[in-house]
Amino acid sequence: MRSAALILLCLPATLGAQPAWREQALLDLARSPHARLHPVPVRAVKLNPGFWKSRQNVTIEKSIPSLLTLLEEHGVLDNFRRLSNPADYTPRRGPLYTDSDIYKWIEAAAWSLQVRPDPKLEATLDKLIGEILSAQEPSGYLNTWFVEDREKLRFRQMITGHELYCLGHMIQAAVAYYRSTGKRALLDGSIRFTGYLLRDFGPAPKQPLLTGHPELELALAELYRLTGNRDYLRLAGYLLSGVETARLKLLPRDTAYTFSGIPFTSRTQFEGHAVRALYAAAGAADYWLETGDAAYRRTLDTLWSDLAAGKIFVTGGVGSRASGETFGDAWELPNRQAYTESCAAIAGLLFNQRMLAATGDAKYAALMERALYNGINSGMDLNGTLYCYRNPLATGSTEKIRNPWYNTTCCPPNLQRTFAALGAYFYSTSKDGVWAHFYDNSSLDWRLESGAALKLEMKTGQPWNGDVSITLNPSKSEEFTLYLRIPDWSGDTRVLVNGRPAPESPQANTYLALKRLWKPGDTVTLDLDMSGGLIFANPRVAEDHGKVALRRGPIVYALEQPDNPGVSVFDATIDPRTPIVAEHRPGFLGGVTVLTHKGHAYPRPLDGEPLYSAQPFKATRPVDLTFVPYYTFHSRGPGAMTVWIPVQ
Ligand code: FUB
Ligand code: ZN
C-alpha cells in the first residue's frame, strides 16, 4: 500500500489556465489528463419539446419552487439564520444533515438558471447564500448541527456526523452557482471551509479525517478543476487512501458500511450503504481522471463489474436492503422490499458518467440510460411535487411510496439537480469529435476541440419511436468523428449519412464512429430497433426466476392495478408466444406508449387459494393486460404494481 504522504508527493502542483466560468462544463474535464471525453456546459444544450423537456419544465416550474417552500417550512434555512442572529432563540430543526438539502437545492436552482435565466430566482439565491454565509465562522467552519453544546463534537463523530458530506454539497452548490452566474460568494465560502480542513487535517502529524458519508471526494475534485489548486485533489486522494483506519480506530463494520476508512484500491465489491459506496466510486473515478493511477482503474473496473453482474435492478435502481440502506449479496434483488433510493440511482449515474468520460465505453452509458429513464425518472411524479425515497419494483395496494416531504429529504433536490442539468449529460466532445449519448429533441450549441463552432440539432420521437435525425452545422467544413451511441437494446439499427448507409454497420452497445469531412447541413438518421420485448433475469436472481420484465427502447414497464380491472397484477402471467403490442396514448400519463398483451390469470384469485398444494397452480383464464412505463407508477395514487411477471 502506498502511503498517503507518497501519494501527495506524486501529484504535480498546478493545472493550466481555466476556461471562463461560462465555458465550464457540468463536470469540467477540459484539462483532466485522463479524460477521453469532455462534457459540455449545461447552457450548451437546449432540450426541445419532447420527453425530457417536459420533465425539465416541471422540475423548474413546480418542483424547485415548491421544495424551497417546504425547506423553509421545516426550518432548514432558519437553522442558518439563527446562528447569525444571537437574539434568535429558535431551536435547530431536522436531522443533522439538513444543510446538505439546501445546498443541493441551490445546486439544482443554479443549473436551472443556465436553462432558463430567471432574475427573481437568482435574487432569491443571492439572498439565501448571503444568509448561509452569515452563519460561517471566522475560521471558515460552517455547519448548523455542530454548534453550541455540540461544538465539542466537531470531527469526533466522523462515521455518522455528515460534516464532510455537507461540505461536499456546499462545494457542489458553489461550483454550480459560479458556473451559472459568475458569482463567487458561495465559492469563496466553501474555499474558506476547505482551507480550514487543509490547515488542521490530513496525514500525521495533522488530525485524521474520514468522510464517513463519501461525497466530499467528488466535490474536491471539481473544486480542483475550477480553481487549479492541487491541494483540493490531494485532500480527495488522502480521503480515498484510507490510511487512517488505525488512528481513527475504525472497525471492519464501519469501513464496510461507510465505504471509507480503508484504501479505496483495496475494495473488491460494493457493500454497505449504497449511496455512500457509489459516491465513493464516483469520487475515486474523478481521482483516476486526474491522476491516471492504475490501481484506481483496476478497482473501479472490479467494482463496476460487481455492480453490473449482480447488484443493479433492471430499472437501474441500486440498494437491495432497506435495513441500513445497503447493497445486498450478488443476485439479491428483491422487488417489493427493494430499497433502491433515488439518491443511490443518481450516485450510480455519477459513477458511470465519470467512467464513460474516462473510456468512451458505451457500457457505462447503457447503465446511465437505464437509470435515467427508469429508476431515477420514477423518483419524481409527473407533477413534480411528490418524490420517491424508495423506488421498489413491486408494491402492495396500500403502500404510499410517493410523498411531498421526507424528514431525510436528500432525494428531492438530488432529482432536481439531475433534471435541471440533464441536457449536459447528452453530449460530449473529444479531441477528434463529438459524441451523442442519449436521444431526445435537443440542440447543441458548442464547439469542436479544434475550436470550430458546432451546432447540432437532434429531432426524434424517442423514447417512444426509433427515428432520430441529426443535422450538423459546423461553422465550416471540417473533418471530425461523430460518435453515435448504439443502445444496448437496439439489436438492428440502421444509420444513414446524407441518405446513404453508414460505412460501418452499427453494433449494439458500442459507439458508431462516423469520421468524415462534415459540411454545414449534413444529416444523419438513425432507425433504432424498438422491437424490444421480454427481459429475463439470471436464474440466480431467485425473486425473478420464471418471470419476465417488459421493456421497449430505454423504457421498462410495470403492470399496475388501475389499468387491469378484473385481475390482480399478482395473478397475471405472460404468454411468450403471444405478441406484445405498443400503443401510443398522447393524453395518458403525460403522453406515453403503453404495452398490451393477451396473457392469462388463474381461474380464481390466488388470495383465496391455499398456500401450498400438491397440484401446480395453472393460469388458464385469458386476460387482457396493459403495461405502463415504470417511471409513472402510482401516478394515480397508491396501488398494486409489479415489474416482474411470471411466464406461463
Ligand atoms: O445520510 C444522508 C442521506 O440520507 C444519504 O445519502 C441517504 O441514503 C440518506 O440516508
Ligand atoms: Zn436520497
Side-chain angles (χ1 to χ4, degrees), residues 280-318:
D286 273 323
Y287 190 73
W288 170 45
L289 281 160
E290 299 307 326
T291 62
D293 186 325
Y296 275 83
R297 166 146 214 188
R298 277 194 299 277
T299 305
L300 289 162
D301 285 345
T302 303
L303 291 177
W304 189 87
S305 301
D306 179 55
L307 179 72
K311 294 184 180 169
I312 186 163
F313 288 83
V314 71
T315 54
V318 190

Side-chain angles (χ1 to χ4, degrees), residues 218-399:
L218 281 74
L220 286 171
E222 207 56 34
L223 191 60
Y224 158 65
R225 291 174 187 135
L226 194 155
T227 60
N229 183 343
R230 198 96 183 165
D231 287 344
Y232 305 138
L233 186 67
R234 288 192 184 94
L235 184 57
Y238 161 71
L239 292 168
L240 290 161
S241 73
V243 290
E244 303 291 13
T245 327
R247 279 214 291 167
L248 291 167
K249 300 188 177 55
L250 299 173
L251 301 173
R253 65 159 192 261
D254 303 326
T255 59
Y257 183 73
T258 65
F259 223 77
S260 59
I262 58 169
F264 182 86
T265 51
S266 68
R267 302 268 174 193
T268 55
Q269 60 162 343
F270 276 116
E271 60 183 342
H273 188 263
V275 181
R276 284 170 165 87
L278 284 159
Y279 278 158
D286 273 323
Y287 190 73
W288 170 45
L289 281 160
E290 299 307 326
T291 62
D293 186 325
Y296 275 83
R297 166 146 214 188
R298 277 194 299 277
T299 305
L300 289 162
D301 285 345
T302 303
L303 291 177
W304 189 87
S305 301
D306 179 55
L307 179 72
K311 294 184 180 169
I312 186 163
F313 288 83
V314 71
T315 54
V318 190
S320 300
R321 298 181 188 169
S323 159
E325 307 184 329
T326 57
F327 277 102
D329 294 332
W331 303 298
E332 180 187 337
L333 296 166
N335 294 314
R336 192 156 164 191
Q337 308 303 331
Y339 139 69
T340 45
E341 185 185 334
S342 299
C343 286
I346 293 170
L349 177 83
L350 300 177
F351 171 39
N352 278 291
Q353 176 196 26
R354 285 153 175 79
M355 297 302 284
L356 174 64
T359 61
D361 189 329
K363 70 182 185 182
Y364 302 114
L367 286 199
M368 290 172 73
E369 183 184 68
R370 191 192 292 188
L372 262 182
Y373 284 79
N374 303 291
I376 292 175
N377 202 10
S378 58
M380 187 177 84
D381 79 329
L382 299 178
N383 294 319
T385 51
L386 300 178
Y387 306 92
C388 297
Y389 188 90
R390 294 175 56 228
N391 294 266
L393 284 80
T395 58
S397 54
T398 55
E399 284 164 84

Side-chain angles (χ1 to χ4, degrees), residues 316-589:
V318 190
S320 300
R321 298 181 188 169
S323 159
E325 307 184 329
T326 57
F327 277 102
D329 294 332
W331 303 298
E332 180 187 337
L333 296 166
N335 294 314
R336 192 156 164 191
Q337 308 303 331
Y339 139 69
T340 45
E341 185 185 334
S342 299
C343 286
I346 293 170
L349 177 83
L350 300 177
F351 171 39
N352 278 291
Q353 176 196 26
R354 285 153 175 79
M355 297 302 284
L356 174 64
T359 61
D361 189 329
K363 70 182 185 182
Y364 302 114
L367 286 199
M368 290 172 73
E369 183 184 68
R370 191 192 292 188
L372 262 182
Y373 284 79
N374 303 291
I376 292 175
N377 202 10
S378 58
M380 187 177 84
D381 79 329
L382 299 178
N383 294 319
T385 51
L386 300 178
Y387 306 92
C388 297
Y389 188 90
R390 294 175 56 228
N391 294 266
L393 284 80
T395 58
S397 54
T398 55
E399 284 164 84
K400 199 155 173 278
I401 301 291
R402 297 187 179 277
N403 295 287
W405 174 258
Y406 295 87
N407 229 13
T408 294
T409 198
C410 48
C411 300
N414 217 352
L415 292 156
Q416 293 170 356
R417 68 175 181 159
T418 308
F419 297 146
L422 194 64
Y425 289 86
F426 274 58
Y427 299 97
S428 307
T429 60
S430 58
K431 66 176 184 318
D432 59 342
V434 61
W435 299 61
H437 306 299
F438 310 114
Y439 297 108
D440 201 350
N441 295 322
S442 55
S443 328
L444 172 71
D445 186 352
W446 189 231
R447 56 170 178 255
L448 295 162
E449 294 189 12
S450 64
L454 173 71
K455 289 190 179 174
L456 183 158
E457 180 90 9
M458 183 184 287
K459 292 189 176 154
T460 174
Q462 274 287 287
W464 313 120
N465 301 325
D467 58 295
V468 181
S469 126
I470 298 172
T471 307
L472 291 103
N473 274 306
S475 51
K476 56 180 178 45
S477 296
E478 175 146 341
E479 186 176 270
F480 64 90
T481 304
L482 171 64
Y483 290 91
L484 294 174
R485 176 171 162 259
I486 309 301
D488 51 322
W489 44 262
S490 181
D492 177 22
T493 309
R494 311 285 159 87
V495 178
L496 303 178
V497 180
N498 291 332
R500 297 177 162 207
E504 280 183 40
S505 70
Q507 303 297 320
N509 215 15
T510 66
Y511 282 87
L512 177 68
L514 298 174
K515 181 176 178 188
R516 55 182 270 127
L517 184 73
W518 292 99
K519 299 185 296 305
D522 279 349
T523 60
V524 177
T525 57
L526 287 90
D527 186 6
L528 300 173
D529 178 1
M530 298 295 287
S531 57
L534 307 181
I535 301 182
F536 298 84
N538 183 313
R540 290 269 183 109
V541 184
E543 278 239 1
D544 300 338
H545 190 51
K547 298 180 183 171
V548 291
L550 266 54
R551 191 214 62 214
R552 185 171 180 274
I555 302 286
V556 173
Y557 282 77
L559 197 58
E560 264 206 303
Q561 205 54 68
D563 310 300
N564 296 282
V567 57
S568 161
V569 298
F570 300 115
D571 290 354
T573 66
I574 299 261
D575 180 347
R577 295 165 296 267
T578 309
I580 289 162
V581 180
E583 177 191 325
H584 195 68
R585 296 192 185 165
F588 182 52
L589 298 172

Side-chain angles (χ1 to χ4, degrees), residues 142-194:
L142 178 54
N143 184 292
T144 67
W145 178 264
F146 291 95
V147 291
E148 298 153 349
D149 289 352
R150 287 189 287 260
E151 188 178 329
K152 57 182 175 300
L153 299 176
R154 287 181 187 177
F155 300 106
R156 295 192 179 281
Q157 297 186 329
M158 287 195 278
I159 294 173
T160 55
H162 288 73
E163 274 164 302
L164 298 188
Y165 170 80
C166 290
L167 171 59
H169 282 302
M170 181 188 187
I171 294 172
Q172 288 179 327
V175 168
Y177 199 55
Y178 174 72
R179 288 182 177 157
S180 296
T181 63
K183 294 179 184 170
R184 289 195 58 107
L186 192 59
L187 184 62
D188 290 335
S190 68
I191 287 173
R192 278 196 296 279
F193 193 173
T194 312

